Amino acid sequence: EDVLDGKIRSDIVFKNGEIPAGKAIDGAGLKGLRIGCAHISEHHANFIVNTGDATSSDVLNLIKSRI
């Protein structure tokens, strides 16, 4: 974990493939996508940010939301 703009964020979440994950997520327009208190960072799309009380379900549902 680390801090991004004063909010707790996870380390890199998605594995890079042929196209870097952050670039693919950004290209899909998913920066800022929010479920509960978890959202994809607007600064780096490969980070999930906890805006306060995100649960593990919030994070998992966010990861699965566009698969």
Side-chain angles (χ1 to χ4, degrees):
E1 290 186 345
D2 203 348
V3 176
L4 181 67
D5 292 336
K7 297 176 183 163
I8 296 175
R9 66 157 177 86
S10 68
D11 288 328
I12 293 174
V13 176
F14 302 100
K15 183 179 179 181
N16 288 326
E18 190 173 312
I19 299 171
K23 184 175 182 177
I25 294 164
D26 187 18
L30 300 176
K31 277 186 175 180
L33 178 67
R34 178 182 306 267
I35 293 183
C37 289
H39 78 273
I40 296 174
S41 172
E42 294 177 4
H43 299 283
H44 191 299
N46 209 4
F47 294 136
I48 293 179
V49 179
N50 178 351
T51 60
D53 295 320
T55 65
S56 57
S57 292
D58 291 340
V59 174
L60 187 57
N61 288 329
L62 183 63
I63 291 168
K64 291 180 173 183
S65 67
R66 301 295 174 154
I67 294 176

